Amino acid sequence: MDLRTLQLFEHLATSLHFGKTAEALFVSPPTLSRAIKRLEEEVGAPLLVRDNRSVKLTAAGEQMQRFAQETLQQWQNTKLGIHQQAQQLAGELSLFCSVTASYSHLPAILDSFRHRHPQAEIRLTTGDPALSIEKVVQEQADMAIAVHSPDMPKHLYFQPLDTLPLVMICPVGYRVGRLEQIDWRTMPMVMPDSGPSKRIVHHWLAEKGIRPKIYASVSGHEAIVSMVALGCGIGIVPRPVVENSVVLDKVSVIALDHIESFRLGLCCLQQRVAEPLINALLEQA
């Protein structure tokens, strides 16, 4: 007994016609008849009742049909599994993102990616999101979760993930709940010193005609939240940074109108989009 014989019998047990099975499976009728006869000899019982006009399955034939179907299906599943395993991506992909993005947006992407490609490894580095684009351009990271900006290099590919609103945060002790309550002549402000948020915050302040009293300029939104929680002043950061902060209970949030939101996404060099690991991660985003 072999798989080819099972295939012949399984088809014949369905068609109940030697000529149709022989034609469909590209064998001659005599060859088909010999194969079925050998199978009956191996089984030790007749599988078919044949006459000049019809073919019928015996009780043993019906049992053999179920065996053939199950065995052939199991063989197909085994072949598919082996093929998929052979096609699995392997290697290492370096990814840079902020601390907040590493648990606000990255887990959903990586869970799906690692399920589909368990042999691929992700080397994650976290840091100031203002450095994301530079890390990719300098090829210090294969990919990064970055914020889109008007001056983003044209040789970078950007795939959007989410839109993040910017909010103002104040120390709880300041008892400020509305923008109108802020006295900009005396209220200190913690500013971003680089990246897209620096451009957006400065533009918003200029549109409002506000000249803030700057307490400090720092790198990273998480650092701004920490300094505001310590009472150093007010700040403007993406909402998810506040919502995922361990000092959330020490700051109050004020929604801002007419301020540009962050367009968060995955970026890589345009020329590397088709690389298997990079393309696979982009597909999960």
Side-chain angles (χ1 to χ4, degrees):
M1 187 185 302
D2 55 35
L3 290 172
R4 179 59 172 169
T5 300
L6 288 181
Q7 289 171 341
L8 293 172
F9 175 76
E10 193 274 335
H11 191 284
L12 180 60
T14 302
S15 71
L16 297 176
H17 194 286
F18 273 80
K20 291 180 179 179
T21 294
E23 182 179 358
L25 299 185
F26 307 103
V27 297
S28 66
T31 299
L32 176 59
S33 294
R34 287 194 296 271
I36 299 303
K37 184 177 180 180
R38 286 196 302 269
L39 185 59
E40 289 177 323
E41 291 174 353
E42 291 184 33
V43 171
L47 303 176
L48 302 165
V49 177
R50 288 162 278 189
D51 57 32
N52 293 331
R53 289 179 298 179
S54 64
V55 176
K56 295 181 180 179
L57 290 174
T58 64
E62 292 177 354
Q63 187 175 352
M64 189 66 191
Q65 182 185 27
R66 290 192 294 272
F67 171 79
Q69 290 172 339
E70 293 172 359
T71 302
L72 291 172
Q73 184 59 57
Q74 187 175 2
W75 168 238
Q76 290 299 324
N77 293 341
T78 301
K79 283 201 303 181
L80 179 61
I82 293 173
H83 176 74
Q84 289 178 338
Q85 186 174 12
Q87 296 299 312
Q88 282 181 353
L89 294 177
E92 182 181 87
L93 187 69
S94 58
L95 180 67
F96 180 89
C97 68
S98 68
V99 173
T100 298
S102 70
Y103 46 78
S104 64
H105 290 79
L106 194 57
I109 300 173
L110 291 189
D111 283 349
S112 178
F113 178 81
R114 292 190 64 81
H115 177 73
R116 292 176 62 90
H117 309 289
Q119 296 183 28
E121 296 182 7
I122 299 292
R123 177 163 53 86
L124 177 64
T125 304
T126 59
D128 184 355
L131 301 176
S132 297
I133 292 176
E134 181 183 346
K135 292 286 186 181
V136 173
V137 171
Q138 298 296 327
E139 298 189 46
Q140 296 173 351
D142 298 317
M143 303 182 73
I145 294 182
V147 176
H148 190 276
S149 62
D151 59 349
M152 179 170 282
K154 293 183 178 180
H155 62 285
L156 281 187
Y157 173 83
F158 181 85
Q159 180 165 305
L161 289 175
D162 200 359
T163 300
L164 311 179
L166 298 185
V167 296
M168 180 169 288
I169 52 174
C170 308
V172 171
Y174 281 19
R175 301 186 183 280
V176 175
R178 301 193 313 275
L179 193 60
E180 295 77 14
Q181 294 178 301
I182 297 176
D183 183 352
W184 292 98
R185 295 170 300 175
T186 59
M187 181 73 75
M189 187 170 187
V190 182
M191 298 285 288
D193 69 354
S194 59
S197 59
K198 179 180 180 180
R199 173 185 61 82
I200 293 173
V201 171
H202 278 272
H203 182 70
W204 182 81
L205 291 171
E207 281 192 332
K208 297 291 185 181
I210 298 171
R211 298 183 64 181
K213 180 182 178 182
I214 299 176
Y215 176 83
S217 295
V218 299
S219 299
H221 303 121
E222 292 85 3
I224 294 177
V225 176
S226 295
M227 293 191 71
V228 171
L230 290 171
C232 298
I234 61 176
I236 296 178
V237 296
R239 182 180 289 276
V241 177
V242 188
E243 294 174 341
N244 289 284
S245 176
V246 295
V247 293
L248 174 61
D249 61 333
K250 293 181 172 57
V251 299
S252 58
V253 177
I254 300 175
L256 298 177
D257 295 327
H258 310 297
I259 187 169
E260 182 182 340
S261 297
F262 273 7
R263 290 177 55 203
L264 194 72
L266 276 171
C267 74
C268 64
L269 292 175
Q270 189 78 242
Q271 65 191 34
R272 301 188 61 188
V273 171
E275 291 184 14
L277 282 175
I278 291 178
N279 184 259
L281 189 63
L282 289 172
E283 287 181 350
Q284 304 309 311

